[in-house]
Amino acid sequence: MAFSPKESMASRRQALGLSALGLTSAFGLVACGSSADNASSSASATPSEKPKYAGKVSVVPENEATEHNPTHPATVTGEEGTTLKSVKLVNDTTGAELKGTLSDDKTTWTSSEDLEFDTQYTLMYTAIDSQKVEGKGESTFGTVTAANQADAWIPNVQEGGVYGVGQILEFHFSEPVVNKDAIEKLISVTGKGVGEGKIRWYSDTVARWRTEDYLPARTAITAKANILGVDLGNGMIGNSNLVVNFSTSDKRYALADNNTKTMQMFVNDKLVNTVPITLGNEDWPSVVGKLVVIEQEATYKFDPTTLGLKKGDPHWYEPFTAHNTSRLTNSGVFVHQALPSAYAYVGVGNVSHGCLGMMPADAQYFFDTFDVGDIVETVNTGYPMADPDNGYGDWNIPFASYSDENYKGDW
């Protein structure tokens, strides 16, 4: 097909139709040279018989393409003896020209500068066919829009934070992950002494990572999810790589034993304190197993309505403010200072609604010594474990079964 010099660029765009798969198309564009130039390229040509451009050029992405992955370069390729004289890729919003490289044989141009998400671009090029006739072409395309972007974050670990060796890394994704196996390979947690980790999916948007043993103490650690440009599934493309740097503190572990009504506290495997405690009563016993300290607050208002209780319920208690609180489960298991009315039961009997209560000085010691990411294990209450996603009960799952989403423990 040939365009006359009077034909509009809109007509040219309609006729071009490049393939996203790089299939070639012949661009019958008029030559850019003067009549004299044309005559020199074809001795028998007359003013009414100008040589027509017969080169073949393929462009990726195709003309008027949408949702192009910006991590994939734009390319222009001359075929069947066609070479490229010049190529220009422009950001339509800013007008900035992006860099690119032309192959030594001048048949392929590839963009070398990162494209942006949700942006329109225009590719303009001049090509020379095997008869040395020039032709011009233009192609426009758009990159992945906001509706098809996905990102990742770790809500329970902040950049530069310090956490206990029991901290579980929880990766959240803004869009459902269909290609889980592929995404798992892009998640890494590294640091001196960090062992091999496994991933357990709690939903299509939440995955947790842990090692067989705890994280090494006093170690700098980097967590990554390299999803930039990766299809999470359903055409949702990762718009950035996730990198979080944090470190661990001393190894801290506490053992609460219902048989002895005591809690032993260990720092770097050394027993540093043993204190009396009160646990959950017979109607509301404390869960067993290992749990991770989720958060700490000097004071915290306890409201029974958050447990679904109403006045008149046998388990109802008046709302109160607890002191030196360390949360262990989302549902409300804490280590905290016991109420004055429970002092007489500390070390003797159980009167709480599942929490581990202590005398004021002991609660202050625990609060000052332990931190987010430290482990508290409770034994001998006769009650099951908390669900692993009710807080971070991941350490109660055998490592060999950790990636098995169907594994069911004692909860």
Side-chain angles (χ1 to χ4, degrees), residues 323-359:
H323 296 273
N324 296 313
T325 66
S326 299
R327 181 188 283 271
L328 300 180
T329 69
N330 298 329
S331 61
V333 175
F334 288 78
V335 177
H336 66 85
Q337 180 177 316
L339 290 174
S341 60
Y343 288 174
Y345 297 92
V346 175
V348 179
N350 296 329
V351 293
S352 81
H353 285 75
C355 292
L356 307 178
M358 301 177 180
M359 297 301 286

PDB file of all heavy atoms in Angstrom, residues 323-359:
ATOM      1  N   HIS A 323      -2.196  -2.272  82.365  1.00  0.00           N
ATOM      2  CA  HIS A 323      -0.884  -1.628  82.305  1.00  0.00           C
ATOM      3  C   HIS A 323       0.181  -2.630  81.865  1.00  0.00           C
ATOM      4  O   HIS A 323       0.057  -3.830  82.096  1.00  0.00           O
ATOM      5  CB  HIS A 323      -0.529  -1.056  83.675  1.00  0.00           C
ATOM      6  CG  HIS A 323      -1.460   0.029  84.128  1.00  0.00           C
ATOM      7  ND1 HIS A 323      -1.279   1.352  83.804  1.00  0.00           N
ATOM      8  CD2 HIS A 323      -2.609  -0.030  84.861  1.00  0.00           C
ATOM      9  CE1 HIS A 323      -2.246   2.077  84.322  1.00  0.00           C
ATOM     10  NE2 HIS A 323      -3.085   1.260  84.973  1.00  0.00           N
ATOM     11  N   ASN A 324       1.213  -2.107  81.207  1.00  0.00           N
ATOM     12  CA  ASN A 324       2.337  -2.927  80.745  1.00  0.00           C
ATOM     13  C   ASN A 324       1.844  -4.110  79.913  1.00  0.00           C
ATOM     14  O   ASN A 324       2.058  -5.265  80.244  1.00  0.00           O
ATOM     15  CB  ASN A 324       3.170  -3.412  81.935  1.00  0.00           C
ATOM     16  CG  ASN A 324       3.818  -2.270  82.677  1.00  0.00           C
ATOM     17  OD1 ASN A 324       4.404  -1.377  82.070  1.00  0.00           O
ATOM     18  ND2 ASN A 324       3.698  -2.272  84.005  1.00  0.00           N
ATOM     19  N   THR A 325       1.210  -3.788  78.810  1.00  0.00           N
ATOM     20  CA  THR A 325       0.560  -4.817  77.999  1.00  0.00           C
ATOM     21  C   THR A 325       1.404  -5.223  76.798  1.00  0.00           C
ATOM     22  O   THR A 325       2.018  -4.392  76.129  1.00  0.00           O
ATOM     23  CB  THR A 325      -0.811  -4.319  77.483  1.00  0.00           C
ATOM     24  OG1 THR A 325      -0.614  -3.241  76.568  1.00  0.00           O
ATOM     25  CG2 THR A 325      -1.673  -3.853  78.637  1.00  0.00           C
ATOM     26  N   SER A 326       1.412  -6.534  76.532  1.00  0.00           N
ATOM     27  CA  SER A 326       2.075  -7.099  75.357  1.00  0.00           C
ATOM     28  C   SER A 326       1.082  -8.049  74.692  1.00  0.00           C
ATOM     29  O   SER A 326       0.714  -9.076  75.277  1.00  0.00           O
ATOM     30  CB  SER A 326       3.355  -7.854  75.741  1.00  0.00           C
ATOM     31  OG  SER A 326       4.280  -6.988  76.363  1.00  0.00           O
ATOM     32  N   ARG A 327       0.623  -7.709  73.484  1.00  0.00           N
ATOM     33  CA  ARG A 327      -0.398  -8.515  72.808  1.00  0.00           C
ATOM     34  C   ARG A 327       0.212  -9.753  72.176  1.00  0.00           C
ATOM     35  O   ARG A 327       1.250  -9.692  71.518  1.00  0.00           O
ATOM     36  CB  ARG A 327      -1.091  -7.674  71.734  1.00  0.00           C
ATOM     37  CG  ARG A 327      -2.186  -8.434  70.986  1.00  0.00           C
ATOM     38  CD  ARG A 327      -2.703  -7.630  69.803  1.00  0.00           C
ATOM     39  NE  ARG A 327      -3.597  -6.562  70.214  1.00  0.00           N
ATOM     40  CZ  ARG A 327      -4.920  -6.693  70.352  1.00  0.00           C
ATOM     41  NH1 ARG A 327      -5.490  -7.870  70.131  1.00  0.00           N
ATOM     42  NH2 ARG A 327      -5.663  -5.663  70.694  1.00  0.00           N
ATOM     43  N   LEU A 328      -0.501 -10.894  72.327  1.00  0.00           N
ATOM     44  CA  LEU A 328      -0.057 -12.148  71.738  1.00  0.00           C
ATOM     45  C   LEU A 328      -0.977 -12.652  70.625  1.00  0.00           C
ATOM     46  O   LEU A 328      -0.533 -13.411  69.759  1.00  0.00           O
ATOM     47  CB  LEU A 328       0.065 -13.235  72.810  1.00  0.00           C
ATOM     48  CG  LEU A 328       1.047 -12.966  73.956  1.00  0.00           C
ATOM     49  CD1 LEU A 328       1.057 -14.130  74.940  1.00  0.00           C
ATOM     50  CD2 LEU A 328       2.450 -12.713  73.419  1.00  0.00           C
ATOM     51  N   THR A 329      -2.269 -12.287  70.675  1.00  0.00           N
ATOM     52  CA  THR A 329      -3.201 -12.705  69.628  1.00  0.00           C
ATOM     53  C   THR A 329      -4.078 -11.530  69.235  1.00  0.00           C
ATOM     54  O   THR A 329      -4.293 -10.591  70.003  1.00  0.00           O
ATOM     55  CB  THR A 329      -4.115 -13.868  70.057  1.00  0.00           C
ATOM     56  OG1 THR A 329      -5.036 -13.396  71.054  1.00  0.00           O
ATOM     57  CG2 THR A 329      -3.332 -15.047  70.587  1.00  0.00           C
ATOM     58  N   ASN A 330      -4.626 -11.619  68.013  1.00  0.00           N
ATOM     59  CA  ASN A 330      -5.552 -10.581  67.567  1.00  0.00           C
ATOM     60  C   ASN A 330      -6.824 -10.599  68.401  1.00  0.00           C
ATOM     61  O   ASN A 330      -7.460  -9.555  68.589  1.00  0.00           O
ATOM     62  CB  ASN A 330      -5.907 -10.799  66.094  1.00  0.00           C
ATOM     63  CG  ASN A 330      -4.701 -10.715  65.187  1.00  0.00           C
ATOM     64  OD1 ASN A 330      -3.759  -9.986  65.464  1.00  0.00           O
ATOM     65  ND2 ASN A 330      -4.730 -11.465  64.095  1.00  0.00           N
ATOM     66  N   SER A 331      -7.200 -11.781  68.881  1.00  0.00           N
ATOM     67  CA  SER A 331      -8.457 -11.930  69.620  1.00  0.00           C
ATOM     68  C   SER A 331      -8.366 -11.438  71.056  1.00  0.00           C
ATOM     69  O   SER A 331      -9.388 -11.373  71.741  1.00  0.00           O
ATOM     70  CB  SER A 331      -8.910 -13.393  69.598  1.00  0.00           C
ATOM     71  OG  SER A 331      -7.945 -14.223  70.223  1.00  0.00           O
ATOM     72  N   GLY A 332      -7.176 -11.105  71.544  1.00  0.00           N
ATOM     73  CA  GLY A 332      -7.110 -10.467  72.855  1.00  0.00           C
ATOM     74  C   GLY A 332      -6.352 -11.177  73.951  1.00  0.00           C
ATOM     75  O   GLY A 332      -6.601 -10.914  75.132  1.00  0.00           O
ATOM     76  N   VAL A 333      -5.417 -12.054  73.610  1.00  0.00           N
ATOM     77  CA  VAL A 333      -4.555 -12.640  74.631  1.00  0.00           C
ATOM     78  C   VAL A 333      -3.357 -11.707  74.827  1.00  0.00           C
ATOM     79  O   VAL A 333      -2.657 -11.385  73.868  1.00  0.00           O
ATOM     80  CB  VAL A 333      -4.078 -14.048  74.236  1.00  0.00           C
ATOM     81  CG1 VAL A 333      -3.079 -14.582  75.263  1.00  0.00           C
ATOM     82  CG2 VAL A 333      -5.267 -14.999  74.110  1.00  0.00           C
ATOM     83  N   PHE A 334      -3.146 -11.282  76.080  1.00  0.00           N
ATOM     84  CA  PHE A 334      -2.063 -10.360  76.421  1.00  0.00           C
ATOM     85  C   PHE A 334      -1.253 -10.902  77.586  1.00  0.00           C
ATOM     86  O   PHE A 334      -1.749 -11.715  78.385  1.00  0.00           O
ATOM     87  CB  PHE A 334      -2.618  -8.997  76.867  1.00  0.00           C
ATOM     88  CG  PHE A 334      -3.202  -8.152  75.776  1.00  0.00           C
ATOM     89  CD1 PHE A 334      -4.476  -8.403  75.268  1.00  0.00           C
ATOM     90  CD2 PHE A 334      -2.502  -7.067  75.264  1.00  0.00           C
ATOM     91  CE1 PHE A 334      -5.029  -7.596  74.288  1.00  0.00           C
ATOM     92  CE2 PHE A 334      -3.041  -6.246  74.277  1.00  0.00           C
ATOM     93  CZ  PHE A 334      -4.306  -6.514  73.797  1.00  0.00           C
ATOM     94  N   VAL A 335      -0.026 -10.447  77.691  1.00  0.00           N
ATOM     95  CA  VAL A 335       0.712 -10.468  78.946  1.00  0.00           C
ATOM     96  C   VAL A 335       0.543  -9.070  79.520  1.00  0.00           C
ATOM     97  O   VAL A 335       0.812  -8.084  78.825  1.00  0.00           O
ATOM     98  CB  VAL A 335       2.208 -10.768  78.728  1.00  0.00           C
ATOM     99  CG1 VAL A 335       2.951 -10.700  80.068  1.00  0.00           C
ATOM    100  CG2 VAL A 335       2.390 -12.134  78.076  1.00  0.00           C
ATOM    101  N   HIS A 336       0.060  -8.983  80.787  1.00  0.00           N
ATOM    102  CA  HIS A 336      -0.157  -7.645  81.351  1.00  0.00           C
ATOM    103  C   HIS A 336      -0.171  -7.695  82.875  1.00  0.00           C
ATOM    104  O   HIS A 336      -0.212  -8.765  83.497  1.00  0.00           O
ATOM    105  CB  HIS A 336      -1.467  -7.039  80.831  1.00  0.00           C
ATOM    106  CG  HIS A 336      -2.713  -7.747  81.277  1.00  0.00           C
ATOM    107  ND1 HIS A 336      -3.341  -7.495  82.473  1.00  0.00           N
ATOM    108  CD2 HIS A 336      -3.464  -8.701  80.658  1.00  0.00           C
ATOM    109  CE1 HIS A 336      -4.420  -8.229  82.583  1.00  0.00           C
ATOM    110  NE2 HIS A 336      -4.505  -8.993  81.488  1.00  0.00           N
ATOM    111  N   GLN A 337      -0.169  -6.542  83.449  1.00  0.00           N
ATOM    112  CA  GLN A 337      -0.241  -6.405  84.904  1.00  0.00           C
ATOM    113  C   GLN A 337      -1.639  -6.783  85.367  1.00  0.00           C
ATOM    114  O   GLN A 337      -2.639  -6.301  84.815  1.00  0.00           O
ATOM    115  CB  GLN A 337       0.070  -4.962  85.303  1.00  0.00           C
ATOM    116  CG  GLN A 337       0.017  -4.682  86.795  1.00  0.00           C
ATOM    117  CD  GLN A 337       0.406  -3.243  87.096  1.00  0.00           C
ATOM    118  OE1 GLN A 337       1.375  -2.741  86.530  1.00  0.00           O
ATOM    119  NE2 GLN A 337      -0.336  -2.591  87.964  1.00  0.00           N
ATOM    120  N   ALA A 338      -1.736  -7.667  86.340  1.00  0.00           N
ATOM    121  CA  ALA A 338      -3.034  -8.099  86.845  1.00  0.00           C
ATOM    122  C   ALA A 338      -3.744  -6.944  87.548  1.00  0.00           C
ATOM    123  O   ALA A 338      -3.114  -6.012  88.052  1.00  0.00           O
ATOM    124  CB  ALA A 338      -2.860  -9.274  87.799  1.00  0.00           C
ATOM    125  N   LEU A 339      -5.071  -7.028  87.588  1.00  0.00           N
ATOM    126  CA  LEU A 339      -5.845  -6.049  88.353  1.00  0.00           C
ATOM    127  C   LEU A 339      -5.622  -6.263  89.847  1.00  0.00           C
ATOM    128  O   LEU A 339      -5.358  -7.389  90.294  1.00  0.00           O
ATOM    129  CB  LEU A 339      -7.327  -6.188  88.027  1.00  0.00           C
ATOM    130  CG  LEU A 339      -7.777  -5.742  86.630  1.00  0.00           C
ATOM    131  CD1 LEU A 339      -9.245  -6.079  86.423  1.00  0.00           C
ATOM    132  CD2 LEU A 339      -7.532  -4.266  86.445  1.00  0.00           C
ATOM    133  N   PRO A 340      -5.748  -5.223  90.631  1.00  0.00           N
ATOM    134  CA  PRO A 340      -5.576  -5.384  92.083  1.00  0.00           C
ATOM    135  C   PRO A 340      -6.452  -6.482  92.667  1.00  0.00           C
ATOM    136  O   PRO A 340      -6.030  -7.209  93.582  1.00  0.00           O
ATOM    137  CB  PRO A 340      -5.959  -4.005  92.630  1.00  0.00           C
ATOM    138  CG  PRO A 340      -5.587  -3.067  91.518  1.00  0.00           C
ATOM    139  CD  PRO A 340      -5.917  -3.802  90.260  1.00  0.00           C
ATOM    140  N   SER A 341      -7.664  -6.652  92.132  1.00  0.00           N
ATOM    141  CA  SER A 341      -8.571  -7.679  92.647  1.00  0.00           C
ATOM    142  C   SER A 341      -8.057  -9.084  92.383  1.00  0.00           C
ATOM    143  O   SER A 341      -8.549 -10.058  92.988  1.00  0.00           O
ATOM    144  CB  SER A 341      -9.960  -7.511  92.025  1.00  0.00           C
ATOM    145  OG  SER A 341      -9.883  -7.628  90.609  1.00  0.00           O
ATOM    146  N   ALA A 342      -7.067  -9.224  91.456  1.00  0.00           N
ATOM    147  CA  ALA A 342      -6.544 -10.554  91.130  1.00  0.00           C
ATOM    148  C   ALA A 342      -5.205 -10.827  91.794  1.00  0.00           C
ATOM    149  O   ALA A 342      -4.673 -11.932  91.656  1.00  0.00           O
ATOM    150  CB  ALA A 342      -6.397 -10.683  89.608  1.00  0.00           C
ATOM    151  N   TYR A 343      -4.676  -9.868  92.542  1.00  0.00           N
ATOM    152  CA  TYR A 343      -3.352 -10.059  93.135  1.00  0.00           C
ATOM    153  C   TYR A 343      -3.279 -11.330  93.975  1.00  0.00           C
ATOM    154  O   TYR A 343      -2.274 -12.048  93.962  1.00  0.00           O
ATOM    155  CB  TYR A 343      -2.968  -8.858  94.002  1.00  0.00           C
ATOM    156  CG  TYR A 343      -2.635  -7.591  93.227  1.00  0.00           C
ATOM    157  CD1 TYR A 343      -2.387  -6.387  93.908  1.00  0.00           C
ATOM    158  CD2 TYR A 343      -2.558  -7.582  91.840  1.00  0.00           C
ATOM    159  CE1 TYR A 343      -2.089  -5.228  93.215  1.00  0.00           C
ATOM    160  CE2 TYR A 343      -2.265  -6.427  91.145  1.00  0.00           C
ATOM    161  CZ  TYR A 343      -2.028  -5.242  91.838  1.00  0.00           C
ATOM    162  OH  TYR A 343      -1.736  -4.096  91.163  1.00  0.00           O
ATOM    163  N   ALA A 344      -4.320 -11.606  94.727  1.00  0.00           N
ATOM    164  CA  ALA A 344      -4.303 -12.763  95.636  1.00  0.00           C
ATOM    165  C   ALA A 344      -4.235 -14.086  94.887  1.00  0.00           C
ATOM    166  O   ALA A 344      -3.857 -15.114  95.469  1.00  0.00           O
ATOM    167  CB  ALA A 344      -5.535 -12.735  96.528  1.00  0.00           C
ATOM    168  N   TYR A 345      -4.583 -14.073  93.582  1.00  0.00           N
ATOM    169  CA  TYR A 345      -4.603 -15.312  92.799  1.00  0.00           C
ATOM    170  C   TYR A 345      -3.327 -15.523  91.993  1.00  0.00           C
ATOM    171  O   TYR A 345      -3.114 -16.612  91.456  1.00  0.00           O
ATOM    172  CB  TYR A 345      -5.805 -15.309  91.847  1.00  0.00           C
ATOM    173  CG  TYR A 345      -7.132 -15.280  92.546  1.00  0.00           C
ATOM    174  CD1 TYR A 345      -7.761 -14.076  92.834  1.00  0.00           C
ATOM    175  CD2 TYR A 345      -7.744 -16.459  92.950  1.00  0.00           C
ATOM    176  CE1 TYR A 345      -8.979 -14.035  93.476  1.00  0.00           C
ATOM    177  CE2 TYR A 345      -8.970 -16.444  93.598  1.00  0.00           C
ATOM    178  CZ  TYR A 345      -9.575 -15.225  93.869  1.00  0.00           C
ATOM    179  OH  TYR A 345     -10.778 -15.198  94.523  1.00  0.00           O
ATOM    180  N   VAL A 346      -2.504 -14.497  91.873  1.00  0.00           N
ATOM    181  CA  VAL A 346      -1.275 -14.608  91.080  1.00  0.00           C
ATOM    182  C   VAL A 346      -0.357 -15.658  91.689  1.00  0.00           C
ATOM    183  O   VAL A 346      -0.008 -15.594  92.861  1.00  0.00           O
ATOM    184  CB  VAL A 346      -0.556 -13.248  90.982  1.00  0.00           C
ATOM    185  CG1 VAL A 346       0.779 -13.405  90.265  1.00  0.00           C
ATOM    186  CG2 VAL A 346      -1.426 -12.228  90.262  1.00  0.00           C
ATOM    187  N   GLY A 347       0.006 -16.657  90.910  1.00  0.00           N
ATOM    188  CA  GLY A 347       0.847 -17.752  91.381  1.00  0.00           C
ATOM    189  C   GLY A 347       0.075 -18.849  92.079  1.00  0.00           C
ATOM    190  O   GLY A 347       0.654 -19.878  92.454  1.00  0.00           O
ATOM    191  N   VAL A 348      -1.249 -18.644  92.220  1.00  0.00           N
ATOM    192  CA  VAL A 348      -2.068 -19.605  92.974  1.00  0.00           C
ATOM    193  C   VAL A 348      -3.198 -20.164  92.124  1.00  0.00           C
ATOM    194  O   VAL A 348      -3.434 -21.379  92.088  1.00  0.00           O
ATOM    195  CB  VAL A 348      -2.645 -18.948  94.246  1.00  0.00           C
ATOM    196  CG1 VAL A 348      -3.518 -19.952  95.017  1.00  0.00           C
ATOM    197  CG2 VAL A 348      -1.546 -18.402  95.128  1.00  0.00           C
ATOM    198  N   GLY A 349      -3.958 -19.300  91.478  1.00  0.00           N
ATOM    199  CA  GLY A 349      -5.120 -19.732  90.700  1.00  0.00           C
ATOM    200  C   GLY A 349      -5.265 -18.903  89.438  1.00  0.00           C
ATOM    201  O   GLY A 349      -4.548 -17.921  89.219  1.00  0.00           O
ATOM    202  N   ASN A 350      -6.233 -19.312  88.623  1.00  0.00           N
ATOM    203  CA  ASN A 350      -6.443 -18.647  87.341  1.00  0.00           C
ATOM    204  C   ASN A 350      -7.773 -17.895  87.332  1.00  0.00           C
ATOM    205  O   ASN A 350      -8.829 -18.486  87.576  1.00  0.00           O
ATOM    206  CB  ASN A 350      -6.431 -19.676  86.208  1.00  0.00           C
ATOM    207  CG  ASN A 350      -5.091 -20.365  86.063  1.00  0.00           C
ATOM    208  OD1 ASN A 350      -4.052 -19.770  86.353  1.00  0.00           O
ATOM    209  ND2 ASN A 350      -5.099 -21.610  85.604  1.00  0.00           N
ATOM    210  N   VAL A 351      -7.716 -16.609  87.021  1.00  0.00           N
ATOM    211  CA  VAL A 351      -8.926 -15.792  87.067  1.00  0.00           C
ATOM    212  C   VAL A 351      -9.100 -14.906  85.828  1.00  0.00           C
ATOM    213  O   VAL A 351     -10.025 -14.112  85.761  1.00  0.00           O
ATOM    214  CB  VAL A 351      -8.933 -14.890  88.325  1.00  0.00           C
ATOM    215  CG1 VAL A 351      -9.057 -15.746  89.589  1.00  0.00           C
ATOM    216  CG2 VAL A 351      -7.690 -14.015  88.392  1.00  0.00           C
ATOM    217  N   SER A 352      -8.227 -15.018  84.847  1.00  0.00           N
ATOM    218  CA  SER A 352      -8.308 -14.124  83.687  1.00  0.00           C
ATOM    219  C   SER A 352      -9.179 -14.725  82.590  1.00  0.00           C
ATOM    220  O   SER A 352      -9.648 -15.852  82.693  1.00  0.00           O
ATOM    221  CB  SER A 352      -6.904 -13.846  83.137  1.00  0.00           C
ATOM    222  OG  SER A 352      -6.479 -14.914  82.314  1.00  0.00           O
ATOM    223  N   HIS A 353      -9.364 -13.958  81.526  1.00  0.00           N
ATOM    224  CA  HIS A 353     -10.083 -14.419  80.350  1.00  0.00           C
ATOM    225  C   HIS A 353      -9.094 -14.887  79.278  1.00  0.00           C
ATOM    226  O   HIS A 353      -9.258 -14.615  78.087  1.00  0.00           O
ATOM    227  CB  HIS A 353     -10.973 -13.315  79.794  1.00  0.00           C
ATOM    228  CG  HIS A 353     -12.201 -13.067  80.597  1.00  0.00           C
ATOM    229  ND1 HIS A 353     -12.167 -12.407  81.795  1.00  0.00           N
ATOM    230  CD2 HIS A 353     -13.498 -13.418  80.377  1.00  0.00           C
ATOM    231  CE1 HIS A 353     -13.383 -12.324  82.293  1.00  0.00           C
ATOM    232  NE2 HIS A 353     -14.222 -12.940  81.456  1.00  0.00           N
ATOM    233  N   GLY A 354      -8.041 -15.579  79.693  1.00  0.00           N
ATOM    234  CA  GLY A 354      -7.057 -16.125  78.772  1.00  0.00           C
ATOM    235  C   GLY A 354      -5.729 -15.408  78.794  1.00  0.00           C
ATOM    236  O   GLY A 354      -4.753 -15.900  78.229  1.00  0.00           O
ATOM    237  N   CYS A 355      -5.677 -14.234  79.440  1.00  0.00           N
ATOM    238  CA  CYS A 355      -4.423 -13.480  79.488  1.00  0.00           C
ATOM    239  C   CYS A 355      -3.484 -14.039  80.555  1.00  0.00           C
ATOM    240  O   CYS A 355      -3.883 -14.842  81.404  1.00  0.00           O
ATOM    241  CB  CYS A 355      -4.710 -12.010  79.786  1.00  0.00           C
ATOM    242  SG  CYS A 355      -5.573 -11.163  78.450  1.00  0.00           S
ATOM    243  N   LEU A 356      -2.236 -13.601  80.483  1.00  0.00           N
ATOM    244  CA  LEU A 356      -1.235 -13.969  81.474  1.00  0.00           C
ATOM    245  C   LEU A 356      -0.993 -12.742  82.348  1.00  0.00           C
ATOM    246  O   LEU A 356      -0.414 -11.756  81.891  1.00  0.00           O
ATOM    247  CB  LEU A 356       0.059 -14.400  80.789  1.00  0.00           C
ATOM    248  CG  LEU A 356      -0.086 -15.492  79.718  1.00  0.00           C
ATOM    249  CD1 LEU A 356       1.268 -15.803  79.082  1.00  0.00           C
ATOM    250  CD2 LEU A 356      -0.709 -16.758  80.296  1.00  0.00           C
ATOM    251  N   GLY A 357      -1.488 -12.808  83.610  1.00  0.00           N
ATOM    252  CA  GLY A 357      -1.406 -11.673  84.505  1.00  0.00           C
ATOM    253  C   GLY A 357      -0.263 -11.796  85.491  1.00  0.00           C
ATOM    254  O   GLY A 357       0.090 -12.890  85.934  1.00  0.00           O
ATOM    255  N   MET A 358       0.331 -10.644  85.863  1.00  0.00           N
ATOM    256  CA  MET A 358       1.488 -10.616  86.762  1.00  0.00           C
ATOM    257  C   MET A 358       1.324  -9.510  87.791  1.00  0.00           C
ATOM    258  O   MET A 358       0.530  -8.575  87.626  1.00  0.00           O
ATOM    259  CB  MET A 358       2.777 -10.343  85.970  1.00  0.00           C
ATOM    260  CG  MET A 358       3.097 -11.330  84.885  1.00  0.00           C
ATOM    261  SD  MET A 358       4.610 -10.794  83.996  1.00  0.00           S
ATOM    262  CE  MET A 358       4.742 -12.110  82.794  1.00  0.00           C
ATOM    263  N   MET A 359       2.128  -9.614  88.821  1.00  0.00           N
ATOM    264  CA  MET A 359       2.216  -8.533  89.791  1.00  0.00           C
ATOM    265  C   MET A 359       2.871  -7.316  89.116  1.00  0.00           C
ATOM    266  O   MET A 359       3.595  -7.456  88.129  1.00  0.00           O
ATOM    267  CB  MET A 359       3.008  -8.978  91.003  1.00  0.00           C
ATOM    268  CG  MET A 359       2.352 -10.134  91.775  1.00  0.00           C
ATOM    269  SD  MET A 359       0.706  -9.730  92.385  1.00  0.00           S
ATOM    270  CE  MET A 359       1.129  -8.617  93.741  1.00  0.00           C
TER     271      MET A 359
END
